[in-house]
Amino acid sequence: MLSSYDLAAIMARLDAREAALDLLTQERQAAVAAILRAPAGSPGSALDPAGGREPGEAELLLIRRADHPADPWSGHMALPGGRREPADESLLATAIRETREEVGIDLAAHGTLLARLPEVPAVARGRRAGMIVAPFVFALRSTPELTLSDEVAEALWTPLGPLARGERTSRYAYTHEGNVLQLPCLLVDERVVWGLTYLMLKQLFEVLHR
């Protein structure tokens, strides 16, 4: 496990990862971006007055998807991203484009790619959705102001350390076909991070803890 979750330590741990190529698949494809930044203010000096975070811990950007009846992940906490379009030359390009469209961050201008994590099969309402999702991890060199699209209800920065250390792990009661399933999740204030986003963040934590 990392002794510190500051951005420099995370970047050093992920720097040696070999970039994977896009898979050849007949399934639909999507990509998301796990975006990290140094805490607001001078890097390494930001403190939570309530004592809830250690100095300098990196922050992760999370969004809450807008409510929409056609979206199987409507209202879920998520990472910026979406489906690959024909004009996208790669899934990396998809992650960059979708992030710019959803939250107004140009990762090509402000970010550094740190890693590509293994693809995750998309599951919606308990069933495979016929799509794979590629997660990419970025570090921001500077943080532009967020500009949310109508697909995003809210966006927030949260310290990565408490999530990675298991301090925010809980269970989410999900009802599927009449059965109540207790699924693992992460708690961010009053928000619940579960499902695909939880699985992708767990992949990131596993890489950081090797």
Side-chain angles (χ1 to χ4, degrees):
M1 182 176 294
L2 287 177
S3 59
S4 170
Y5 287 93
D6 66 89
L7 191 59
I10 292 171
M11 292 178 70
R13 176 61 58 90
L14 296 178
D15 184 57
R17 286 185 60 82
E18 182 178 352
L21 300 176
D22 289 350
L23 293 175
L24 296 177
T25 177
Q26 296 302 312
E27 290 187 292
R28 292 173 295 160
Q29 296 177 311
V32 299
I35 304 170
L36 304 175
R37 72 171 187 181
S42 300
S45 65
L47 289 172
D48 182 350
R53 95 174 72 149
E54 294 182 10
E57 288 195 325
E59 295 177 335
L60 169 73
L61 179 64
L62 291 171
I63 65 170
R64 180 167 59 84
R65 298 175 66 88
D67 294 323
H68 194 288
D71 181 2
W73 300 283
S74 173
H76 288 199
M77 297 301 296
L79 301 171
R83 295 181 182 179
R84 183 175 186 173
E85 294 184 354
D88 295 336
E89 63 182 16
S90 65
L91 284 168
L92 174 60
T94 300
I96 292 173
R97 175 184 56 76
E98 284 283 343
T99 298
R100 183 176 61 250
E101 293 175 358
E102 290 189 343
V103 297
I105 294 178
D106 186 348
L107 291 171
H110 300 282
T112 298
L113 176 63
L114 300 184
R116 175 177 179 161
L117 303 175
E119 286 83 1
V120 176
V123 175
R125 302 185 179 102
R127 293 182 172 84
R128 285 285 300 267
M131 181 169 64
I132 62 164
V133 184
F136 294 85
V137 185
F138 291 85
L140 287 184
R141 295 186 293 273
S142 60
T143 307
E145 183 177 353
L146 299 179
T147 304
L148 307 186
S149 75
D150 57 8
E151 297 179 2
V152 179
E154 67 170 336
L156 60 98
W157 293 96
T158 188
L160 186 71
L163 304 178
R165 289 190 293 266
E167 297 169 11
R168 301 290 184 266
T169 301
S170 187
R171 310 294 290 184
Y172 173 65
Y174 174 67
T175 302
H176 176 62
E177 297 181 349
N179 298 314
V180 179
L181 307 177
Q182 297 293 330
L183 303 179
C185 71
L186 299 168
L187 299 180
V188 178
D189 297 327
E190 300 299 318
R191 304 163 184 85
V192 178
V193 180
W194 67 290
L196 285 175
T197 303
Y198 172 85
L199 292 176
M200 290 185 282
L201 291 178
K202 287 291 288 184
Q203 285 192 153
L204 172 59
F205 302 155
E206 287 169 3
V207 172
L208 294 178
H209 296 164
R210 287 175 186 166

